[in-house]
Structures are given as structure tokens and as C-alpha cells.
Amino acid sequence: MKHMRRFVALTIVLFALFFIKLNTTSDDYANVETFRGAHLEQSVFYPLIAKSINDSGGLTFLFNGEEMALAADELCLNDNMQVMASLDFIREMFYSSANLYDGKEFRLERNDVEYKFYVDSLEGIAGTERVELSCQPMVLENDCYLPLEDLCKFFGYDYHWNMKSAQLEVSSNEAQTVSLPKSFDLRNKDRASTIKNQGNTQTCWAYAAYGAMESSLLPRETVSLNPKELIENKPYEYMDNAGGDFAMALSYLLSWQGPTVMNEKKHVQEVHFYDADDIDDIKWGVYLYGGVSTSVYINVSSIGTSSNYNPATNAYCYRGEKEPNHDVVIIGWNDQYSASHFNGDVPGDGAFICQNSWGDSFGDEGVFYVSYYDSNIGNQAVSYVKIESESNYDFVDQMDRCGWRGQIGYNKDEAWGAAVYEASQNLSLKSCGFYALDKNSTFQVYVVNKYEGLSSLAGRTLVASGTLDAAGYYTIPFLREVSVDKGDKYAVILYIHTPEQKRPIAIEYETANMVSGSVDLSDGVSYVSKNGLDWENIEDTARGNLCLKVYGDYREEEEQ
């Protein structure tokens, strides 16, 4: 089991015996070194304390004075009780590109400075200077870590670690301003996926989704995902058989149906959405997370003779009003790519570097340039931010296997939603997942661990809150795990405020162009409310289900 109750209890007993033996009443394990045999005791007990805190999620993290919920394995303690930061944490906290190469070399990029650190070594390189770390980087089964105190020093963050209370405080008061490079190409970082060929099929949406995911996994994992898996198992069909889109791909991936890598499913836990106005945000997506899938308009049958495409420079720009009809993957950019490389009148310099799915005979071995001034580039753009192993949680409870198909609300930018599930086993609820439909969404998440009708929703307990900078799908960790007993119903409640949205709640429902019967209304019960007090059944209101998933672990039965 993932929960180590017996281990924690044993650890507590060992602590008690240890301090009795030393005939002291001090409970400050940070002062172990003051006792006789200090180095031996520290080497024995620090690893036990660290493991206990790591297993129980006992580390408290405050950023700029506000307590932040941590996803599993974002931060951990090493055997010397030093705080180690995962690559995901480094990307989010410092806006730094962070990757592991060949299983042993860490490479970080921030403000045009490249940092290199090595497993089992205290020495590193920052730009052209040698630096020394306070402890060695670590590579574990599910993640890899660097010492957080050192990174805070490099990037100008204040750092305070209270070992006694297991509380970490970080503030950005003196942090360096972060900027993007003028050009960036994932091919030069070994982070671009392999070129594939969709042939004469309407499956670019699947190739783009899997191409972006492959890039997101690189360089730590080199995989070749098969888009046919997604195409043949997509959760619904369109009436006109017109292929698919990014929403169809996400419904499959977010419901843990795939992709499959060496007989193990990858779990997509976070994605970000962008649109054509988000040029810098898309760049950050590529820089931090890898390839970004996007939609463009291309006249497929005549691309070779199109006035929008210059085959001499592999440069494309469409300035019309036609809707997107093709998906590609953005793998870089060049702000100084000359407007003269494009056919026709292009207002200025700058282009995204894009990877197509027409084989390596197209463009520059499958890659071409799309102007920043293209009418559609950046539309329906998706960045795959967090892709985790199938062991990240024991279960997901969900009722939206067709994913985000529509929105519901009360003609204002805030609303409440509640999803009710029944526990098939003793559960420990750890996180929930939902869509933020625009930038700067603020949210609150509550849980009722024993749901007994709509009136019981008033007895909810706050488990998470925050602000989401980007639109997308997020897995939000709870501040504390919530226990639910087998056979009991429980409810997870979401309050969300999304500026500029009149219907801020994402729902699954059957749209007019979907094959009839695609949506299953029997797999859960969900509600929507304008005030968190008066609730309407979404099945009755919209013939749909709330997009609100719950993640957690199975909990062993309590011993009598």
C-alpha cells in the first residue's frame, strides 16, 4: 500500500526510545547533532524522518506567505533532510526549462543561461562558471530532483527551511525577471518528436496530439506513440465522419484510456490551452513543456502550388477568413525570421517552427515555418504539461469520458458544480481535475465525505483554492487527504470564477454533430448552482455530466 501507517508508527516509537536513551526532553530532531554519537544517530534517524514526512505528505510549503498544496512527489526530502525539487516544480516555480538527459545530466535554461548538474556530483556549471551544490541531485523511479536551496540562490529567491516543523518558505521578492530567447528550436535540444506520415486520412488531430506528447516526454523518455491507438479507440464519432479535433483527443487522454507505452498507460494530468492572441504564452509552453499542437488552415490538395506557401524557404502564411482544417505541432520560434521569406504581403518578421505529419519529404524534413501573422496559427493550441506514470494514483472517479463538449452557467462569470460518486472501496481522496475555460480563473474545491442528499452539500470542507493563470485542464492536489468508507457516497464541489466567461462550468453532453448515444448519463450524478445553495441536476438541465474527476488511492481497512 502507498500509505505507510505501520511505518510511521514504528518511526514514532523509535524516536521515543532514542530520546529516552539520551535522557533528554528535547523534541527538536534538528538538534540531534548535539548528542553523543551525533553523526551516527543523524545518519540513522534523518532518513527515517525524511521517509515519514515524504510518505505522509507532511512537508508544508508557503510561497510568498501563502500555503500551497503540493502534488505527489513535487518536493521531497533527501536522507539529510534537505529539500529537493522535481523538474515539474522547477518549471512552474522558476519559469525555467528543466530536463534530464541520458538519465544523469540535468539541464536548466533561464534567461539565456544554461545550467548543468550531474547525478552523484556536487559540481555543476552555470553558464561558463563552475558552481558547487549543497547536495547531490537525485534520480528516483518516478521523478528526478535538484536541491531547492541552491536553485533559489541561483535565481534570486528567498529560502527558509524549518526542519523542526517541516515547513518551507520561499518568496520571490528579489527574484530575477524572466524573459524568453529571441529564437528557440526543440530540435536543437533533442526534444522534438519523430516525423510521421498520416497518409491520405483525416487524422492530423491524432498525429498532432501524440506528436506534442512525445515531445513533452523528451528527453527523459524517448517513445514512439502510435496515433492509430487514439484513432481506433476515440470515445465518440462525428456524424459526417470528419476526423476529429483536439477536444476528442483530450477526452481519450484525460480519461486514462491511453497512450500506451510498453504495456503501461500514461496518465495525462494537466494541459494548457492557448489561442491566436497568445504568442508569448505559446512560446512559454514550447520552452517549458515541449511541442504545442495547434490548428491552421491549409489547402491540402494544392499546398505545393499555393500562393500561401513558399517552397524555397518552407514558409507559410494564410491571411484569409477560412476556419482551421489541419493540425500541426509548434516546436520553436524565430522572432527575426524575415517577412520576405513568405509569399505575399506579411506585416512583419517572426515565425513559429512547425512540425507536420506529411512525412519527411514535406518542407525541411517535415518541418516548416508559419508566420506570426497567419490568421489561424495558435488557435486550439494545446500544451501537454504533466504526463505521469499509471502508478500516480490508484483510481480515478469520472463521469465525463467524452470530455469537454459544452459549458453551463448563469450568464455570469462564476458558478458552482458538484459531482457525486460512490466509493467502491475504502478511499483516500487526494486530488480533483477540472477545466479552466479562460485565463486567470480562481477556484475553491470542497469535499463532503458522506453525501446524504443535496442538503448535505452545505456541510462541505474546503480542501483547495487558488488561481490558474492559463486556460486548460488541471489536477489540483488537496491540502489534506480525505477518507471515504466503502459503500458511502461522497461529493466534490467546485466553485469557479472565470473572467469573460458567462458559462464557466465545463460539461460533457451530446452535441448535434456527434453520433447518437455517445454520452453515458448513467455513470454519475452532478449538479450546478448559481450560489452554492440551490442545486440543479445537470442531467435534467442539459442532458449532460459535469467535467469534474477525482483522483486518489485505495485505503487499507482500519485495524480494530
Side-chain angles (χ1 to χ4, degrees), residues 34 42 362 396 428 454 495 498 540 547:
T34 65
Q42 179 174 316
F362 171 79
V396 56
S428 181
L454 288 175
Y495 163 80
T498 305
D540 297 336
C547 293

Short mmCIF file of all heavy atoms in Angstrom, two decimals, residues 34 42 362 396 428 454 495 498 540 547:
data_model
loop_
_atom_site.label_atom_id
_atom_site.label_comp_id
_atom_site.label_asym_id
_atom_site.label_seq_id
_atom_site.Cartn_x
_atom_site.Cartn_y
_atom_site.Cartn_z
N THR A 34 23.78 17.52 18.60
CA THR A 34 24.32 17.97 19.88
C THR A 34 24.53 16.81 20.84
O THR A 34 25.14 16.99 21.88
CB THR A 34 23.36 18.98 20.53
OG1 THR A 34 22.13 18.32 20.85
CG2 THR A 34 23.10 20.15 19.62
N GLN A 42 22.38 10.76 13.41
CA GLN A 42 21.83 11.53 12.30
C GLN A 42 21.71 10.66 11.06
O GLN A 42 20.69 10.70 10.35
CB GLN A 42 22.73 12.73 12.01
CG GLN A 42 22.25 13.59 10.84
CD GLN A 42 23.09 14.83 10.70
OE1 GLN A 42 23.40 15.50 11.69
NE2 GLN A 42 23.47 15.14 9.47
N PHE A 362 8.10 16.54 -47.00
CA PHE A 362 7.50 17.87 -47.00
C PHE A 362 8.40 18.84 -46.25
O PHE A 362 8.95 18.51 -45.19
CB PHE A 362 6.12 17.82 -46.33
CG PHE A 362 5.53 19.19 -46.10
CD1 PHE A 362 4.93 19.87 -47.13
CD2 PHE A 362 5.60 19.81 -44.85
CE1 PHE A 362 4.40 21.13 -46.95
CE2 PHE A 362 5.08 21.07 -44.65
CZ PHE A 362 4.46 21.73 -45.70
N VAL A 396 -9.33 6.72 -10.57
CA VAL A 396 -9.99 7.96 -10.95
C VAL A 396 -11.49 7.70 -10.98
O VAL A 396 -11.94 6.72 -11.56
CB VAL A 396 -9.50 8.49 -12.32
CG1 VAL A 396 -9.66 7.45 -13.43
CG2 VAL A 396 -10.24 9.78 -12.69
N SER A 428 -8.90 7.12 -0.20
CA SER A 428 -8.25 8.33 0.26
C SER A 428 -8.23 9.30 -0.93
O SER A 428 -7.51 9.09 -1.90
CB SER A 428 -6.83 8.05 0.74
OG SER A 428 -6.22 9.22 1.21
N LEU A 454 -28.86 16.46 -1.27
CA LEU A 454 -28.41 17.81 -1.59
C LEU A 454 -28.19 18.67 -0.34
O LEU A 454 -27.30 19.52 -0.32
CB LEU A 454 -29.41 18.49 -2.52
CG LEU A 454 -29.43 17.97 -3.97
CD1 LEU A 454 -30.54 18.65 -4.76
CD2 LEU A 454 -28.09 18.21 -4.64
N TYR A 495 -16.24 25.61 -6.90
CA TYR A 495 -16.63 26.99 -7.20
C TYR A 495 -15.56 27.55 -8.14
O TYR A 495 -14.36 27.44 -7.87
CB TYR A 495 -16.69 27.86 -5.94
CG TYR A 495 -16.69 29.34 -6.27
CD1 TYR A 495 -17.86 29.98 -6.68
CD2 TYR A 495 -15.51 30.09 -6.21
CE1 TYR A 495 -17.85 31.33 -7.02
CE2 TYR A 495 -15.50 31.43 -6.54
CZ TYR A 495 -16.67 32.05 -6.94
OH TYR A 495 -16.66 33.38 -7.29
N THR A 498 -14.36 32.70 -13.62
CA THR A 498 -13.54 32.85 -14.82
C THR A 498 -13.92 34.13 -15.54
O THR A 498 -15.01 34.21 -16.15
CB THR A 498 -13.73 31.65 -15.77
OG1 THR A 498 -13.46 30.44 -15.07
CG2 THR A 498 -12.80 31.75 -16.96
N ASP A 540 -30.78 16.65 -15.95
CA ASP A 540 -32.10 17.19 -16.26
C ASP A 540 -32.00 18.50 -17.04
O ASP A 540 -32.79 18.76 -17.95
CB ASP A 540 -32.90 17.42 -14.97
CG ASP A 540 -33.18 16.14 -14.21
OD1 ASP A 540 -33.17 15.06 -14.85
OD2 ASP A 540 -33.37 16.20 -12.98
N CYS A 547 -17.79 17.94 -15.82
CA CYS A 547 -16.39 17.54 -16.01
C CYS A 547 -15.63 17.83 -14.71
O CYS A 547 -15.02 18.89 -14.54
CB CYS A 547 -15.77 18.31 -17.18
SG CYS A 547 -16.47 17.92 -18.79
#
